């Protein structure tokens, strides 16, 4: 939404005010999105955030921001990310611990790309238990590996917001330009077929066991379907409240 509210049409403004009032009646939710690279976690997160009044915490986005800002943490994470390996558990656990304390997370959060190892999952459980909280649902985005190459190599992103597009499946209104800001889109350094192999390897060996860890809370989604169908199955899994 633009910073100058006088530019916002009244009906849009009223809709947003109503949505925020409705947020007061929503139940708290703590949701994990898990799945291989390119399965659609980042694509679906803004809708879930909007509908359930949650904050969206994507460790990949946080790490990319740290790399771009050349912080000590970013410099440490850069090499692992560019090779498709995982960044150390300590780094990402620290990021999530801080981020979940933000006021925007008061109704709960969507964790996108975290936890990615069983060590991370256990630390998360401990952290939440200390706050008298726990994970409510784990949405497992199931997509066969062979479909992910096209998804990842055709992706374009808006660096500032993390919005992602696809040259075939979700093109921007104007090629190469973000729909909202008009700024240029970019390619992620790890979005190539070679690095994807390493990322998929890390997913199957280190992240798939996290699905077992949360077995009782997992809902499997057919994430190889069109985006609106995936969104509908997420809605069914999370309910409207
Ligand atoms: P991260 O940024 O988390 O990458 P990822 O898990 O590999 O996931 P992606 O962002 O690639 O995929 P996505 O599921 O969000 O897909 P999207 O919605 O964009 O992590 C990057 C790196 O950071 C890691 O490799 C690691 O080094 C490090 N890292 C991060 N977290 C870490 C952690 N916890 N521990 C250790 N290291 C960590 O969709 C992809 C494309 O498909 C888009 O173009 C989209 O438009 C399109 N698309 C989406 N849905 C559909 C659909 N239904 N049909 C057709 N196309 C679709």
């Amino acid at each position: 939404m633009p910073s100058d509210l006088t530019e916002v049409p009244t009906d849009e403004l009223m809709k947003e005010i109503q949505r925020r009032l409705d947020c007061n009646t929503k139940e708290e939710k703590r949701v994990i999105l898990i799945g291989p690279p390119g399965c659609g976690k980042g694509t679906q997160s803004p809708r879930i955030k909007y509908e359930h009044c949650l904050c969206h915490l994507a460790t990949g986005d946080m790490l990319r921001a740290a790399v771009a800002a050349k912080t000590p943490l970013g410099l440490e994470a850069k090499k692992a990310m560019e090779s498709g390996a995982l960044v150390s558990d300590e780094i990402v656990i620290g990021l999530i611990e801080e981020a979940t304390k933000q006021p925007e997370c008061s109704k709960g959060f969507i964790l996108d790309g975290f936890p990615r190892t069983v060590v991370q999952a256990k630390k998360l459980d401990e952290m939440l238990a200390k706050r008298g909280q726990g994970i409510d649902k784990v949405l497992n985005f199931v997509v066969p590996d062979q479909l992910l190459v096209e998804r990842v190599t055709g992706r374009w992103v808006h660096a500032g917001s993390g919005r992602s597009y696809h040259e075939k499946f979700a093109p921007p209104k104007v090629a190469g330009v973000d729909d909202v800001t008009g700024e240029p889109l970019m390619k992620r350094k790890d979005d190539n077929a070679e690095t994807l192999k390493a990322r998929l390897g890390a997913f199957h060996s280190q992240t798939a066991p996290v699905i077992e860890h949360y077995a009782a809370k997992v809902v499997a989604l057919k994430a190889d379907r069109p985006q609106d169908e995936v969104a509908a199955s997420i809605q069914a899994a999370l309910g409207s409240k």
Side-chain angles (χ1 to χ4, degrees):
M1 194 160 285
S3 52
D4 182 358
L5 290 180
T6 58
E7 287 172 18
V8 183
T10 309
D11 57 337
E12 269 182 40
L13 201 55
M14 295 307 288
K15 220 170 115 193
E16 178 58 14
I17 290 170
Q18 188 58 53
R19 186 189 74 84
R20 293 201 192 178
L21 288 172
D22 291 346
C23 282
N24 295 323
T25 65
K26 296 273 180 189
E27 287 167 1
E28 287 186 18
K29 279 190 191 67
R30 292 171 189 86
V31 182
I32 293 173
L33 309 189
I34 199 161
C39 67
K41 304 180 294 292
T43 299
Q44 296 294 336
S45 289
R47 295 195 201 200
I48 309 174
K49 171 182 164 167
Y50 185 79
E51 280 166 26
H52 295 276
C53 315
L54 306 175
C55 65
H56 172 212
L57 305 178
T59 39
D61 291 346
M62 294 176 195
L63 290 167
R64 276 186 289 280
V67 170
K70 297 193 168 76
T71 65
L73 186 153
L75 293 174
E76 200 180 327
K78 189 171 189 276
K79 207 169 152 216
M81 293 178 78
E82 288 181 359
S83 70
L86 295 186
V87 172
S88 79
D89 289 332
E90 292 69 34
I91 288 186
V92 285
I93 290 163
L95 285 175
I96 287 293
E97 183 144 31
E98 276 314 300
T100 49
K101 292 178 188 160
Q102 297 171 73
E104 306 91 270
C105 301
S106 63
K107 279 282 171 186
F109 49 69
I110 307 157
L111 297 180
D112 163 0
F114 179 93
R116 246 178 163 94
T117 64
V118 173
V119 172
Q120 292 177 20
K122 288 182 176 166
K123 285 279 180 196
L124 172 68
D125 296 344
E126 274 170 32
M127 180 190 96
L128 293 177
K130 278 188 202 148
R131 300 178 190 172
Q133 299 170 346
I135 293 298
D136 299 298
K137 284 260 157 62
V138 176
L139 304 181
N140 177 18
F141 285 56
V142 182
V143 181
D145 283 5
Q146 64 271 21
L147 287 187
L148 298 169
V149 181
E150 189 179 18
R151 286 229 192 149
V152 160
T153 54
R155 168 166 53 190
W156 287 87
V157 292
H158 174 242
S161 66
R163 263 185 294 283
S164 72
Y165 299 86
H166 193 281
E167 52 201 28
K168 183 166 150 193
F169 304 124
K173 289 179 188 138
V174 178
V177 174
D178 178 46
D179 287 353
V180 180
T181 60
E183 289 165 359
L185 299 177
M186 52 149 317
K187 284 270 182 194
R188 269 170 52 176
K189 270 201 168 164
D190 59 349
D191 275 353
N192 57 75
E194 197 50 41
T195 311
L196 179 63
K197 278 190 206 150
R199 290 162 66 195
L200 279 173
F203 174 76
H204 291 297
S205 62
Q206 296 177 78
T207 307
V210 176
I211 301 169
E212 288 299 308
H213 175 82
Y214 288 113
K217 293 172 178 171
V218 172
V219 179
L221 306 172
K222 286 186 179 167
D224 55 351
R225 308 295 304 155
Q227 288 185 18
D228 286 345
E229 279 185 41
V230 180
S233 41
I234 292 174
Q235 213 166 21
L238 296 182
S240 57
K241 271 254 157 190

